[in-house]
Amino acid sequence: MKRCFISAVSVVGKLLAAVLAVLAVFSVSPIYDFCDIGPFSGPDIFNPYSTLETPQWKKANFHTHTRVKGPLNECELWPEDVLEDYRKLDYDILTFSNHNKLTKHPTDSTLQVNVYEHGFNFLKYHKLVFGAEKVWHYDHLLPFLASQRQWQLDMLDRQSDFQVLNHPYRTPGSTRRIMSRLDGYELIELDSGAGDRQEYWDWALTAGHYSFAIANDDCHDSRNTRKIARRATFIQTPSAGYKDLWHILTKVGCFYCMRIPDYGDGDWDVKREANRHLPYLEKVNVSGDTIELALSAPALVLEARGAFRERPSREEDDNILKQEFDSVHIRYVLPSDEPYVRFTAYFGDGAILYTNAFARYDASYMENPFFHPVFPTNMYTNMMNIPLTIVYNLALLIIFLLCLYVIFRKPKKKDDLYPIEDYR
């Protein structure tokens, strides 16, 4: 009995050592010194809708899963089937973002967008990676540290055109402290959880990290009315080709997001008809410090939200700057000390519309071609702390070697424990 217990303890110990060894291997990362870049400031207001004249919005979903070749699948439907389902709901643009897999467009090579969702980790820290020629497979299994998350963004940035920070609502550890530090992504995915305030986006914007926002279904079953056409990004683009999408999504920002109810509650005909008549952003005008928005239909509440206070209260809505009720129009004068404002419209049927942020900046930076006109104050500032990086990764190496010792250590024989000489 005692021997069986000792054997069981030994097996469990080896299994734990093996798990710890794997975690050590998939925890390697530099350690960064994160700098406080401060809130947006400047005499001018960046208008992401400066190119909007006659609204010609294209309905898009950039986060879609399909069946792929191989044993690991999160969807039973092939790309051509999913594409057909989305086209029936008036989607003009659909990209296939399978986990760590580049997927070809099933019908038209001119609409090919190389995108995949990076990450299989336990915390669901996922990114949409656009423009990559191959998949980067390394991932941290438990990316608790801001440095781990930042390093992934840095590595992916080297081999892609741009990235989207996916569903922070469903990513444990996406605290205000971490969101205030991360940099190097161009877009953030909104409203993939139950909330509608989007405080994760506001935490980053408040800290001075500008990003556009998109809303996606993250669909795994396009034959389920509750999973498809629940979120969409409406983009003003001359075509659905990748070059045009890249330009608008990362350089211009002329698009908005919507949360869409499951119209018909299972009735496909009702759902399709309602999706053809969604309210939309009709007009945007920025003159001096005054921002005006007009919608195609009245919103129950049309609100302006800005930066969180330096010491935010526990109130949910402490960053509301202005509200209009039962209105198609809002006018807001952005104070000189307010870093940014974004607008949210709540409609009576449950639909919600989110605009991109209007941020303060200095337009004179546009004269310098080396500066991005949207992010003049958002210069990359995170620097590697070499001593801490060495210490952290050396500790991982020591843990790994100790685990190997525990796994492969041979048990001592009974004769080794009690040498024959002891009995003489």
Side-chain angles (χ1 to χ4, degrees), residues 199-227:
E199 62 266 28
Y200 295 85
W201 187 26
D202 283 316
W203 289 340
L205 291 172
T206 298
H209 299 288
Y210 190 95
S211 67
F212 297 123
I214 58 176
N216 300 307
D217 277 337
D218 190 2
C219 186
H220 294 255
D221 182 6
S222 60
R223 300 292 163 84
N224 187 334
T225 61
R226 293 173 297 176
K227 303 294 184 181

Side-chain angles (χ1 to χ4, degrees), residues 42-46 285-292 331-338 341 343 358 360-361:
D44 307 299
I45 297 175
F46 168 70
N285 182 57
V286 177
S287 179
D289 292 336
T290 302
I291 305 167
E292 294 184 87
R331 179 178 181 272
Y332 181 72
V333 179
L334 188 66
S336 59
D337 60 346
E338 189 69 42
V341 63
F343 298 91
F358 299 77
R360 288 209 165 271
Y361 77 126

Side-chain angles (χ1 to χ4, degrees), residues 46 52 54-55 76 84 87 98 113-114 128 131 148 162 187 212 255 287 300 311 316 318 356 365 370 396 416 421:
F46 168 70
L52 177 61
T54 303
E76 293 303 315
E84 181 183 0
R87 283 180 172 171
N98 289 303
V113 175
N114 279 14
L128 291 186
Q148 291 174 314
F162 65 97
L187 300 108
F212 297 123
F255 51 93
S287 179
L300 285 181
R311 292 183 178 179
E316 294 179 349
D318 67 346
N356 277 316
Y365 278 107
F370 294 101
L396 291 178
D416 295 332
E421 289 78 2

Side-chain angles (χ1 to χ4, degrees), residues 298-310:
L300 285 181
V301 182
L302 182 51
E303 66 183 21
R305 286 183 180 264
F308 282 105
R309 309 298 182 264
E310 185 175 350

